[in-house]
Amino acid sequence: MTHPFSRINPVAKLGAALLLAACLVLTVDWVSAGTALLLELAAFPFLGIRARRFWLRTLPVWVAAPLTGITILLYGRPSGTIYWEWFAVRISDGSLELALATMLRVVAIGLPAVVLFITVDATDLADGLAQVWRLPSRFVLGALAAFRLVGLFANDWRYLELARRARGVGDAGRIRRIPGQVFALLVLAIRRGSKLAVAMEARGFGGPIPRTWARESRFEMGEWATLIAGLMVGMIAIAAAVGTGHWNFIVG
Amino acid sequence: MTNVPGPSSGSPVRPARVRAAGWGWRHAPRTRWALRGLDFEIDPGERVLLLGASGSGKSTVLQALAGVLGGSEEGESAGELLIDQRPASDSQGRVGLVLQDPDSQVILERVGDDVAFGCENLGVPREEIWPRVRHALAEVGLDVALDRSTAQLSGGQKQRLALAGVLAMRPGLLLLDEPTANLDPAGVAEVRDAVARVLESTGATLVVVEHRVDVWLPLVDRVIVLSPDGALLADGAPEDVLQSRGEELAELGVWVPGHPHAVAPRVSAPGTRVLGTRDLTVGRSVAFAANGFERRMPDLGFLEGTSTAITGPNGSGKSTLGLTLAGLLPPIAGTASARGTLRDGASEHPIDWRSRELLTRIGTVFQEPEHQFLRSTVREELAVGPRALKLSSAEIAARIDELLQRLRLDALADANPFTLSGGEKRRLSVATILATRPRVLVLDEPTFGQDSRTWAELLGLLGELVDEGKAIIAMTHDRRFVDTFADREVRL
């Protein structure tokens, strides 16, 4: 059973995430980021993503946000009361506030980006990019087909590693072997890629005939609603910041 | 730009006519013509088996017919190659090509999309594409859901998928370039039967390249043979050509029924036990393959001076057992242990050996030779192992020269390993292992895709090694290999 949200055109999801991000990077303050985050958390349960999957996929965001926060807390431009000082490290009112704002911002931009994309299928995205956004089909389909090879590369990589042990050069440190192995993988990748290109060309890819699409990539009510929702969250966040006087335009 | 009409709605397949008139091709950087002066005509609906030695340009003919040889930057052509009066380079949609490597011709993520791909490129209207897709899948007997992931298909299924993708384009000429060379016996039968059904229902013209003649003999009504220098050697009814040219074809590496290659009899006597397993479970972690797995293995022992063939269907864990015995993958449970001359002062378990300790003990020949090449010339490649052993440069040079000669690689000493032919790559991958004189050899599908000449050479060489007292363990689907060479077969 598929959740209705997973059927929304991926380009709409991509667009919504971009619109929201565009609103939030205009300012660095904790009110706008916090507002956006609250709205997002309220919306997520309705998108049909299981809790386990949600936490697993968004883990990088939860790790990255506090790290960014701590860095800014220690090294951000100081202002107001200084609480603690040690060499270049200064914790002040200003750096505290900036750290909180940045941390919330990373979460508020990162979470929807990840969540919107958990439900995206690469093929559907390519369909959308080529049909809705009118990107050149040669480029989009080439990238899509190449993307599928990545799985094979992971397998190649393991074999390259085993082969090095078998050939007697596996005792040197793992790190030292990486450049050679990357090069070998590159050689294999180019060979696989050119074989794939022949197979695609043999099926008429890149020919003179205008291409049709087996599946129509639709952009309808649901897609517009998704875009508007992304923009709304951003706008409400900005309004809250301006209204409470925390708006802090990043340029200037 | 030429105006190529797309196939009209619901059109039945119109078999294509092929004509070559003094046709030839020279690959851009080379001075020698790969093919020259080819003259032949193939009538609509004819089924042709195209034979020739490795490197005689069979695949080049197919790629030219499919119009994928490329333009003047790829090479130079001479004469004419026509499909229904139209140049082959300009015949999109009239010709469908299925290639050898199952992994490199799956284009999209889902089965249905992959089959639809060719139709989309030919501008077939959407409402006509899906009936064509379903029909093509039914015709090749691939009974899976349209949204099934293509990555989960077996080799034989992937080849049938490629065939379906080509069929959906309704080509009048079907080209098959060794479509079964990389498949196990079950896969070979699947693909051959699917092709038979397709020809039956469409009547399309067929050109198939394959050196295993017996697979296709029941299906074809004509055989064309290319000489090693790319000219026409023979052309006629299969019985006539195989009868009159059988000996010659066998020399070229073609598997001609009734012309077996002589393999020298072996003289070895089994020695002591050097490697054994107990309660062994082999497997791959989830990180290795897309889906990890575990297989329980029978207890096995391997003696010096014997050859063991390990057989079994795809997915029975043959390759994984090989990598585990070779000390490359850790056992999931149980042990693989070395003893006696093989252990020679090292730890009991091969997986605990250092990479350098493995060199003189167990040599592994991977299924894909390209995975184990490390250097940019054949000579350098052979020096890798001996250098790791810190042998003197005089000793290294002596070993390399001997191997180059023994494996007929001397003319290629300065060539890049990646540019060698399939048979040459296989010989080189075996030679790199022999350079450090290991006591046990583990080979994964050593005869996959080899022509009969390379096959016989390989068996001769492995036979000598067993006679010298080495233990050979080969994972294989090749019945002939098992029957001719193995002292013992272990079925998984």
Side-chain angles (χ1 to χ4, degrees):
Chain A
M1 217 195 63
T2 51
H3 190 272
F5 186 71
S6 69
R7 286 203 296 270
I8 294 288
N9 197 321
V11 296
K13 295 177 185 171
L14 182 62
L18 285 177
L19 283 174
L20 173 57
C23 293
L24 289 182
V25 296
L26 292 177
T27 162
V28 185
D29 69 281
W30 66 269
V31 177
S32 62
T35 311
L37 188 57
L38 281 177
L39 290 170
E40 289 163 8
L41 290 174
F44 288 159
F46 301 101
L47 300 183
I49 298 158
R50 282 197 210 91
R52 187 187 141 77
R53 192 142 175 258
F54 174 84
W55 292 110
L56 215 62
R57 293 299 198 87
T58 57
L59 190 67
V61 179
W62 298 112
V63 174
L67 288 177
T68 323
I70 288 172
T71 312
I72 292 188
L73 178 68
L74 300 183
Y75 301 103
R77 191 196 309 165
S79 63
T81 318
I82 292 181
Y83 298 102
W84 194 63
E85 198 168 0
W86 186 70
F87 293 110
V89 175
R90 272 190 204 96
I91 297 178
S92 64
D93 273 340
S95 73
L96 259 174
E97 196 181 328
L98 196 62
L100 180 67
T102 311
M103 202 165 79
L104 287 174
R105 194 156 312 271
V106 170
V107 179
I109 294 176
L111 277 192
V114 173
V115 165
L116 289 171
F117 260 76
I118 294 179
T119 57
V120 162
D121 174 284
T123 311
D124 294 338
L125 178 61
D127 273 345
L129 290 176
Q131 293 178 56
V132 178
W133 283 10
R134 305 270 168 208
L135 296 186
S137 63
R138 265 189 94 102
F139 167 75
V140 171
L141 288 168
L144 180 66
F147 187 68
R148 205 196 50 79
L149 289 181
V150 172
L152 296 178
F153 297 155
N155 206 32
D156 280 338
W157 181 260
R158 277 307 305 259
Y159 270 107
L160 288 173
E161 215 160 66
L162 296 182
R164 272 155 172 71
R165 171 165 163 81
R167 294 293 310 277
V169 292
D171 289 327
R174 262 178 172 237
I175 307 290
R176 276 180 47 199
R177 293 205 308 272
I178 285 180
Q181 237 168 282
V182 167
F183 184 74
L185 189 68
L186 206 63
V187 173
L188 287 172
I190 289 170
R191 295 180 66 80
R192 279 196 197 280
S194 53
K195 280 196 217 168
L196 179 67
V198 168
M200 291 174 75
E201 207 187 329
R203 292 222 226 146
F205 185 62
I209 304 162
R211 196 173 198 281
T212 50
W213 297 88
R215 234 172 314 108
E216 191 180 3
S217 186
R218 291 166 187 278
F219 205 91
E220 293 167 339
M221 289 292 289
E223 281 71 28
W224 286 113
T226 306
L227 273 189
I228 290 167
L231 187 63
M232 288 288 287
V233 172
M235 299 305 275
I236 292 173
I238 289 178
V242 173
T244 56
H246 284 83
W247 174 262
N248 160 13
F249 198 60
I250 210 163
V251 191
Chain B
M1 190 186 281
T2 42
N3 179 23
V4 181
S8 63
S9 165
S11 64
V13 171
R14 190 167 44 84
R17 174 186 301 279
V18 179
R19 202 166 83 88
W23 188 77
W25 176 263
R26 185 178 64 81
H27 292 288
R30 314 247 169 105
T31 50
R32 201 178 68 84
W33 286 76
L35 293 153
R36 60 203 165 88
L38 290 188
D39 286 299
F40 57 82
E41 186 142 354
I42 301 173
D43 287 330
E46 253 192 310
R47 301 164 178 188
V48 177
L49 176 61
L50 182 61
L51 297 175
S54 304
S56 60
K58 303 179 299 266
S59 298
T60 310
V61 172
L62 288 200
Q63 296 201 355
L65 286 171
V68 295
L69 258 191
S72 51
E73 71 276 18
E74 307 287 335
E76 184 187 350
S77 69
E80 274 187 322
L81 191 64
L82 301 176
I83 299 188
D84 300 332
Q85 334 293 337
R86 191 193 277 279
S89 53
D90 196 16
S91 297
Q92 275 98 353
R94 279 300 280 154
V95 182
L97 171 67
V98 176
L99 299 157
Q100 178 178 345
D101 181 2
D103 282 326
S104 297
Q105 49 187 332
V106 174
I107 295 163
L108 293 172
E109 191 75 45
R110 298 178 218 151
V111 166
D113 295 0
D114 194 88
V115 177
F117 182 73
C119 296
E120 296 178 315
N121 292 327
L122 293 181
V124 175
R126 179 176 302 146
E127 57 282 3
E128 203 196 313
I129 292 181
W130 292 106
R132 281 196 187 198
V133 167
R134 273 184 283 270
H135 187 242
L137 284 170
E139 219 158 24
V140 301
L142 196 56
D143 187 20
V144 299
L146 292 183
D147 62 356
R148 173 77 175 274
S149 158
T150 48
Q152 290 167 359
L153 302 178
S154 71
Q157 286 178 319
K158 280 182 185 158
Q159 288 301 71
R160 283 187 288 154
L161 176 72
L163 186 60
V166 160
L167 276 186
M169 297 162 67
R170 306 250 165 99
L173 172 61
L174 189 58
L175 304 172
L176 310 175
D177 191 358
E178 302 196 37
T180 57
N182 288 15
L183 302 182
D184 62 10
V188 172
E190 273 174 28
V191 170
R192 197 254 328 270
D193 295 347
V195 171
R197 268 199 306 279
V198 165
L199 292 176
E200 198 61 45
S201 75
T202 65
T205 312
L206 170 78
V207 180
V208 55
V209 166
E210 177 75 65
H211 40 234
R212 303 210 169 221
V213 170
D214 53 345
V215 175
W216 297 99
L217 215 45
L219 268 183
V220 299
D221 45 30
R222 179 172 166 193
V223 171
I224 294 179
V225 186
L226 298 180
S227 69
D229 58 351
L232 205 63
L233 189 68
D235 182 354
E239 317 76 68
D240 298 346
V241 173
L242 295 182
Q243 185 94 57
S244 60
R245 303 282 188 146
E247 200 71 40
E248 206 173 338
L249 287 172
E251 272 309 303
L252 295 180
V254 176
W255 293 95
V256 184
H259 289 270
H261 276 271
V263 177
R266 298 233 320 276
V267 295
S268 66
T272 58
R273 184 169 149 134
V274 285
L275 188 62
T277 70
R278 169 164 283 193
D279 301 328
L280 182 66
T281 299
V282 302
R284 287 178 185 182
S285 61
V286 178
F288 194 102
N291 29 7
F293 73 96
E294 291 184 4
R295 294 281 180 278
R296 178 66 201 270
M297 292 294 151
D299 286 351
L300 299 169
F302 301 95
L303 311 181
E304 286 177 317
T306 63
S307 57
T308 307
I310 295 177
T311 61
N314 283 334
S316 57
K318 291 192 301 292
S319 294
T320 315
L321 172 62
L323 294 172
T324 310
L325 289 172
L328 299 178
L329 282 182
I332 301 279
T335 54
S337 26
R339 58 188 78 189
T341 52
L342 180 62
R343 187 169 166 188
D344 188 24
S347 131
E348 186 187 350
H349 304 297
I351 189 64
D352 297 332
W353 297 346
R354 284 179 302 132
S355 172
R356 209 148 64 80
E357 288 178 307
L358 265 176
L359 276 181
T360 54
R361 293 180 173 83
I362 306 181
T364 312
V365 177
F366 287 71
Q367 187 173 327
E368 289 280 350
E370 293 182 0
H371 279 137
Q372 64 188 105
F373 292 155
L374 301 166
R375 295 288 182 268
S376 56
T377 69
V378 167
R379 179 175 285 279
E380 280 293 306
E381 194 64 62
L382 289 169
V384 168
R387 283 220 183 99
L389 291 179
K390 302 197 163 50
L391 299 177
S392 73
S393 45
E395 170 73 16
I396 295 177
R399 284 193 186 191
I400 292 177
D401 288 335
E402 188 212 323
L403 283 168
L404 284 173
Q405 205 164 28
R406 190 168 172 193
L407 286 146
R408 289 194 299 113
L409 292 165
D410 29 5
L412 300 165
D414 296 318
N416 186 313
F418 281 96
T419 63
L420 304 182
S421 76
E424 289 160 355
K425 277 180 191 160
R426 173 55 74 214
R427 295 207 298 273
L428 176 59
S429 65
V430 174
T432 57
I433 298 310
L434 297 185
T436 57
R437 304 189 177 152
R439 293 181 187 83
V440 174
L441 265 85
V442 176
L443 305 108
D444 194 359
E445 297 290 1
T447 57
F448 236 18
Q450 301 299 320
D451 64 26
S452 65
R453 188 164 167 221
T454 313
W455 185 89
E457 276 173 2
L458 199 61
L459 257 72
L461 177 70
L462 295 178
E464 285 173 32
L465 295 171
V466 177
D467 287 346
E468 286 167 18
K470 307 206 187 286
I472 290 192
I473 306 168
M475 274 48 70
T476 186
H477 284 305
D478 182 352
R479 229 340 80 195
R480 257 181 277 226
F481 178 90
V482 178
D483 294 341
T484 325
F485 178 72
D487 297 317
R488 177 175 64 138
E489 177 182 358
V490 177
R491 280 174 212 250
L492 296 183

